[in-house]
Amino acid sequence: MPVDRKHLGRRYGPYRFQVSVEQIKDFVAATGGGVPGHAFPSPPDRFHHPWTWDEEAAKASPHGGIVAPPTFATTFAIEPFARACSDPELAVNVLRLVHGEQEFEFHEPVRPGDVLETEGEITRLQERGNLDFVEVTTTTRNQHGRVVVKGVWTAIVRN
Amino acid sequence: MKRLQDFTAGDTFELVREVDPYRPVYYAGASGDFNPIHIDPEVGRAAGYHGVILQGMCTFSWLSDACVGYLDDPARLVRVRARFTKPVQVGDVIRIEGRCVAVEGSAVKLELSARNQRGEDVLKSAVAEGRVEER
């Protein structure tokens, strides 16, 4: 069953997320060929940008400290999309769902200590053949009220 | 640090990442995506794969990281977009290849591909944009 078009415009959030330097370093290790955590960690390899994990290098950078890698946004901005996909009102069969498309628009770097709030809205519900597209657009603001990232998340459901 | 004049249409860059057996678990811990298809081989096999599959957003991060490496500053990436076309599995080696297609003012426009060791596209229509302000 395709998702009922009446849910277009349905909103999720805001969801709050407090950023720590440990979360950023864990994310960088996991995506950069290292090992996250504090028990048996290993740092990311040399292909990962040092300003996202090396405190000394970051301190000497124009940012004056660590900034999150852009796709760290996944950790906090995914929530409205995840909530929509598991929303009983939409009745999406998650076993038939894949993440089909992704877009991010970055406005301002995320830093340790930031307090972020993400809101999302269903912006497209479209049937194409036996596929159903569910698109959620998210906006994340920081503690200064400024937009840090916008995301467009598209799930494809096989009917 | 690279300056605007250091970016030219036709520049190329790449990033190669291997999916070791623990990568989906590390990514789950760091991102919060504990969907069982990424951590339980039985669930992966039931879905028709050899075992677990890597979170698509981990591959997407590699795409972004390739751009950040080329742009020489994590804060210079302003946009990235791609379609997911094929699952990435443990043992795969993913090669991200990027190309600068235009420099318009401070905007550096990039096109990318992401292929596995068999040459299959795991991402398609991958584009990104950097903004390089003269300081």
Side-chain angles (χ1 to χ4, degrees):
Chain A
M1 280 287 287
V3 175
D4 194 323
R5 300 299 175 264
K6 73 178 181 189
H7 295 304
L8 194 68
R10 194 171 169 86
R11 302 183 67 86
Y12 299 88
Y15 304 108
R16 193 166 179 273
F17 189 101
Q18 185 147 1
V19 180
S20 73
V21 72
E22 288 81 8
Q23 287 165 334
I24 293 175
K25 286 184 176 179
D26 278 350
F27 188 85
V28 170
T31 52
V35 179
H38 293 271
F40 304 100
S42 83
D45 62 27
R46 64 187 176 86
F47 300 106
H48 211 93
H49 203 288
W51 296 350
T52 62
W53 63 277
D54 180 335
E55 305 218 28
E56 273 185 37
K59 208 166 181 181
S61 80
H63 307 296
I66 282 183
V67 291
T71 48
F72 179 71
T74 306
T75 61
F76 54 83
I78 200 171
E79 194 161 357
F81 178 58
R83 297 281 183 121
C85 291
S86 57
D87 185 343
E89 286 290 314
L90 268 63
V92 167
N93 182 348
V94 290
L95 297 175
R96 292 180 162 275
L97 174 148
V98 294
H99 192 169
E101 296 177 33
Q102 181 62 39
E103 177 169 3
F104 281 130
E105 189 182 286
F106 304 104
H107 291 246
E108 187 169 325
V110 168
R111 300 160 190 276
D114 278 359
V115 180
L116 306 174
E117 285 202 339
T118 302
E119 291 183 276
E121 181 182 349
I122 296 178
T123 43
R124 179 164 67 113
L125 290 171
Q126 187 183 17
E127 210 180 341
R128 206 187 287 166
N130 65 337
L131 300 178
D132 209 21
F133 290 73
V134 179
E135 179 193 275
V136 176
T137 299
T138 60
T139 302
T140 305
R141 288 184 168 80
N142 62 17
Q143 65 277 20
H144 309 294
R146 295 193 295 261
V147 173
V148 294
V149 59
K150 291 184 177 178
V152 182
W153 313 67
T154 308
I156 302 176
V157 190
R158 285 172 290 130
N159 285 311
Chain B
M1 190 174 174
K2 284 161 80 176
R3 302 179 60 191
L4 184 57
Q5 68 213 38
D6 300 320
F7 296 91
T8 311
D11 290 349
T12 59
F13 53 96
E14 70 168 21
L15 178 70
V16 178
R17 290 278 180 215
E18 190 175 342
V19 187
D20 60 278
Y22 296 134
R23 197 55 44 191
V25 177
Y26 296 151
Y27 186 82
S31 69
D33 182 353
F34 286 96
N35 184 325
I37 203 163
H38 304 307
I39 53 176
D40 186 341
E42 287 298 316
V43 174
R45 280 192 282 271
Y49 305 111
H50 303 307
V52 299
I53 57 169
L54 184 68
Q55 291 86 345
M57 289 308 287
C58 186
T59 315
F60 195 84
S61 281
W62 295 342
L63 184 78
S64 166
D65 293 342
C67 299
V68 166
Y70 171 66
L71 294 168
D72 202 21
D73 181 351
R76 282 176 170 171
L77 186 67
V78 295
R79 188 188 306 276
V80 59
R81 174 163 59 92
R83 286 195 294 125
F84 300 96
T85 50
K86 198 168 181 61
V88 173
Q89 306 195 54
V90 168
D92 280 356
V93 179
I94 305 301
R95 179 180 296 270
I96 314 274
E97 291 181 329
R99 191 165 62 92
C100 175
V101 291
V103 179
E104 295 167 4
S106 63
V108 178
K109 304 208 168 163
L110 311 174
E111 287 180 3
L112 300 104
S113 65
R115 297 193 175 99
N116 63 20
Q117 66 280 15
R118 291 177 294 278
E120 300 161 330
D121 288 307
V122 297
L123 300 175
K124 271 190 182 169
S125 311
V127 292
E129 187 178 323
R131 188 169 51 233
V132 181
E133 308 283 3
E134 291 292 4
R135 289 177 190 277

